Structures are given as C-alpha cells and as structure tokens.
Amino acid sequence: MKIKFENLGKHFNGKGGRVHALKNIELEVKDGEFFILLGPSGCGKSTLLNLAAGLEKATEGRILFDDEVVADPKKKIFVPPRQRNVAMVFQNYALYPHMKVFENIAFPLRVAKMEKEKINEAVNNTAALLGIEDLLDRKPGELSGGQRQRVAISRALVRRPRVFLLDEPLSNLDAQLRTSTRAELKELQNELGITTLYVTHDQTEAMTLGDRVALLRNGEVMQVGGPEELYNSPVTPFVATFIGSPSMNLIPAEKKGDQEIEIEGVRFDLTEKQAEDIGKIKSKEVLVGIRPEKISLSPGEQDQENASENGRITLKGELSTVEPLGREILYHVGIECCEVLALSGEMEVKRGEEMYFSFDAEDIHLFDAETMDDQTRKQMQSGLSKENRKKIKKQSAV
C-alpha cells in the first residue's frame, strides 16, 4: 500500500505559545517500500509516525493510504487507528507482562473476535516466521531483550496489516544484537512485502535498512533519497554531517572566479560540474565537504608549491587526537579554521606533530557557507584550540 503525506503540519499549543512539530511535509512512500524517517531527537519523526497510525491528529494537510484519505482536518476527515489496519512496534515493546507470549501475540486477533482455530494457526505461523515458536508458553519477564522485540513484531504482524510502523524498535538492544536483528528485520520485510515506515535517529540503521530515507530536522524534510544518494550527494551542510560516521569534514573556502576556490591559501581548479554548482552560490564564502576516507595523510615536511597539481589538494595541519577503530584509525588534524578527520592505517605519529593531508578535487562537495547552522558550526570547530575558536568567532561576527 502507498502512503502519501500532502502539505502535512502538526502544531502543539504549549506555555510558550504554538510549537510547530511538523511543517509542510510532502512525502510519498511506495507500495512495499522500507522507508526510513531519520533525524535527531525532537525533529518530528515520531510525530509523523503517530499521525500515520492515527494516534494523533494533524493540524493541516492530508494523509492518504492509496487513494483513500485517512486524515484531512480541513474536511474533518479522520479514520480511527483500528480502521486504518496498521500495526505499530514501540521502543519499549509494550507487551502485557501477565500474559504468556502466545496470548500477547494473539491479543489483536481476540479483540477482532477471530475464531479460535484461526487464531492458533495465525499465532503459530507468525511465531515460526520470527523463530520464537519455542517461547510461546513463557511470559515477557522470562525473555531477553531480543526475544521480547521479536514477540512485539509478531504481535504487530499476526493480523497481516497494510502498513507496518516501527518507532526505534532496536534502540534497547546491545550493539551486537542490534546488528544481527537489523539484517533479520530487513529480510523479513522483503519476504512479507509490507509497506514499512521506520523511525530512527541512528544513521547506520537508516543506511542499512532503508530503500529510501527522509532526513528530518526541526519538523521539516531536509532531503529524501536512497541511502547512497544522501551519502554521496548531500544537499546541505546538515545532511552532509549527519549522514556518515565519522561525519563529512566541512572546510571553509573562498571563491576565486568561476572555476577556482582557495583553502588555507591553496588555490585549485574545480571540475565542470563543481563549477556549475558553485555558480549557484551567491556568497563568496563556501564550504568544502570531504569524507574522511577520501583523505590521505603523511607526517613531516612537504613542498606545498605544487599542492594542487594533478587535481589533488594538499594542506598542512597539526595532529591533535588519534582514535584506534580496529581495522582503521581516525586521525584528528587541526588547521587554522577547523579540525579535519581522516581515516587511515597505522602510522608512527605523536600528538602535536605536523601533518599533511591531501585529497582529490573531484571528491569534494560544495555548500553555501551561509546555509550552515550554529550546531554544525560548533561541531566543525569542536577540536580547535581556544585561540582558533576565538578567530572563527571573530570572523563570524564581521
């Protein structure tokens, strides 16, 4: 089933006045799609899920299930949750502690007054699908977190809903179990083909699970697309730094003509596509985005006269922190404007040592510096010395 949100808005009236939880949401979830609602806490993703479920009423706009309007406050249309035939899994699983697993799964079927034989068949089939058929006689208190999560999913799926809604269902699991359960959940959704809306603040979950992802911030959609599209073609500094771990580096730069920019005194030419992109930026100040894995590091002295030869840019900085990550090491290199993260192999280097880092011009992303929000700016400057932070603050005030 297809889900469509048209100009959807949700307002709450609080002590400080009206709070806009969602603003002008325009989204379409395809039939059978695994669609992710991603964003930081308070961005409105759970509110949007609740509106789809019918647990809350929209202030404006419409929600359509296929061609049926299930919510339209202007026309006073509101289809109750039960009639929408959606199933929801919550973060805390919401199981009945006094009931055995069988009864927890069977509960929605008993409410629907289904025949006993059909209930038994449906519960057993769903439990087998989730691999919990041997747990049906236990109570939730006797189960692990992963087992309780499977019971919650079984209860949601047992009546074969049109839409499957999940609100951060894996957040209570430990890291190893969360990884294995993600794969199982993706396989299950592919097998059943149920249209799925999945809320998470974890971009790794979004990247591994979603067919498409909508990144939200402050109640608005920042970008919609496949995981690779958001990773490789972010449209704003916020998207660039939110998607990817470690996040994309943002380095302040200055436009020098139509096809050239300058970083830390080093000028280099842009590709034809980059020149086209930078032509759309009215401000002279730009941000150069580069992924940590695209950066090469080398300690010691280097000649910077040919720093931008052969389309490769080389800059000098100072090593501030080294983070071993197992297979790779994350190096923090401070330059005058900000801190740069680079993923590389093991090197014999010390904190405070002079470092050179380089990257290909074709790997950079360009953003208007004026579109950078305060939170992203703080993140960019988090590893700077107090002296350099004061410089940036002074430059921002000019």
Side-chain angles (χ1 to χ4, degrees):
M1 188 185 69
K2 183 173 65 177
I3 306 172
K4 197 171 184 180
F5 302 101
E6 295 182 346
N7 194 32
L8 197 68
K10 176 63 179 177
H11 307 153
F12 294 99
N13 293 317
K15 291 182 180 179
R18 177 173 279 194
V19 177
H20 294 257
L22 292 171
K23 310 166 196 173
N24 306 317
I25 301 295
E26 291 279 349
L27 286 175
E28 184 170 323
V29 182
K30 300 172 185 175
D31 183 29
E33 188 173 30
F34 201 129
F35 194 92
I36 305 291
L37 299 175
L38 174 68
S41 298
C43 71
K45 54 190 185 295
S46 290
T47 300
L48 185 55
L49 198 74
N50 290 338
L51 291 174
L55 300 178
E56 292 182 16
K57 293 184 178 181
T59 309
E60 58 197 16
R62 302 197 307 169
I63 303 174
L64 291 87
F65 284 6
D66 284 336
D67 296 323
E68 177 193 1
V69 178
V70 296
D72 186 344
K74 192 174 182 180
K75 294 184 178 180
K76 296 183 179 179
I77 297 173
F78 180 76
V79 177
R82 188 178 297 177
Q83 294 178 27
R84 295 189 189 191
N85 191 18
V86 301
M88 196 162 182
V89 176
F90 299 92
Q91 183 178 348
N92 62 359
Y93 315 132
L95 300 176
Y96 297 107
H98 62 287
M99 292 183 181
K100 292 183 177 180
V101 168
F102 184 96
E103 291 303 324
N104 265 284
I105 298 173
F107 185 79
L109 303 182
R110 296 203 190 284
V111 170
K113 302 187 184 304
M114 184 180 283
E115 294 177 8
K116 186 177 179 180
E117 288 184 5
K118 290 185 178 180
I119 289 176
N120 291 339
E121 182 181 357
V123 170
N124 286 316
N125 288 343
T126 306
L129 189 66
L130 274 294
I132 57 170
E133 58 267 46
D134 57 336
L135 305 178
L136 294 176
D137 287 330
R138 298 189 196 177
K139 289 186 177 180
E142 302 171 46
L143 306 178
S144 68
Q147 290 170 333
R148 286 197 293 270
Q149 189 250 9
R150 283 176 169 77
V151 174
I153 292 175
S154 297
R155 184 179 60 185
L157 293 177
V158 72
R159 55 191 178 87
R160 292 296 185 265
R162 293 194 294 174
V163 180
F164 194 24
L165 308 174
L166 301 102
D167 194 355
E168 305 206 44
L170 308 183
S171 60
N172 288 334
L173 304 181
D174 62 59
Q176 187 173 359
L177 186 57
R178 193 159 59 239
T179 300
S180 61
T181 307
R182 274 203 307 262
E184 293 170 3
L185 189 58
K186 178 69 174 177
E187 186 179 345
L188 178 66
Q189 195 274 340
N190 283 335
E191 183 178 338
L192 297 176
I194 298 174
T195 304
T196 299
L197 264 177
Y198 186 104
V199 162
T200 183
H201 65 273
D202 184 336
Q203 55 93 17
T204 302
E205 278 188 14
M207 298 289 283
T208 54
L209 283 173
D211 296 320
R212 284 191 303 147
V213 178
L215 179 57
L216 280 73
R217 183 171 182 268
N218 295 334
E220 297 180 276
V221 176
M222 296 289 101
Q223 187 171 349
V224 182
E228 290 186 2
E229 181 182 345
L230 268 67
Y231 188 83
N232 294 318
S233 305
V235 296
T236 68
F238 171 75
V239 178
T241 54
F242 195 90
I243 300 292
S245 181
S247 62
M248 180 183 286
N249 295 294
L250 295 178
I251 306 173
E254 190 175 331
K255 289 165 66 173
K256 298 290 183 180
D258 296 331
Q259 290 191 317
E260 192 178 39
I261 62 175
E262 181 179 300
I263 305 175
E264 300 276 305
V266 177
R267 292 193 182 194
F268 60 94
D269 295 327
L270 301 172
T271 65
E272 188 175 328
K273 174 65 168 62
Q274 290 167 345
E276 183 182 326
D277 291 340
I278 207 170
K280 300 172 186 175
I281 299 176
K282 295 179 181 179
S283 171
K284 191 176 180 181
E285 305 300 321
V286 296
L287 292 171
V288 170
I290 183 74
R291 292 286 178 194
E293 65 270 21
K294 298 291 185 180
I295 295 176
S296 298
L297 284 176
S298 58
E301 292 290 338
Q302 283 194 10
D303 179 12
Q304 277 198 286
E305 288 185 10
N306 300 318
S308 60
E309 273 192 357
N310 302 319
R312 194 159 181 86
I313 302 98
T314 301
L315 300 170
K316 181 171 69 174
E318 183 181 288
L319 183 66
S320 59
T321 309
V322 177
E323 292 185 60
L325 302 177
R327 188 176 61 180
E328 294 174 304
I329 297 175
L330 183 63
Y331 295 89
H332 298 240
V333 181
I335 56 178
E336 186 175 344
C337 68
C338 51
E339 184 177 75
V340 175
L341 303 178
L343 280 171
S344 188
E346 187 175 354
M347 293 182 286
E348 291 188 9
V349 289
K350 296 178 181 178
R351 189 174 183 272
E353 187 172 341
E354 194 175 81
M355 299 285 292
Y356 285 83
F357 61 95
S358 60
F359 48 88
D360 288 330
E362 63 181 20
D363 289 330
I364 67 171
H365 303 262
L366 295 168
F367 306 99
D368 187 341
E370 292 182 359
T371 64
M372 182 169 60
D373 58 278
D374 290 339
Q375 185 178 351
T376 306
R377 183 178 285 106
K378 286 178 183 177
Q379 180 181 336
M380 187 179 77
Q381 300 167 11
S382 61
L384 291 179
S385 65
K386 288 183 180 179
E387 183 182 345
N388 281 335
R389 285 186 204 177
K390 286 178 182 177
K391 285 183 185 178
I392 295 296
K393 192 173 183 181
K394 206 175 277 185
Q395 290 169 3
S396 300
V398 174

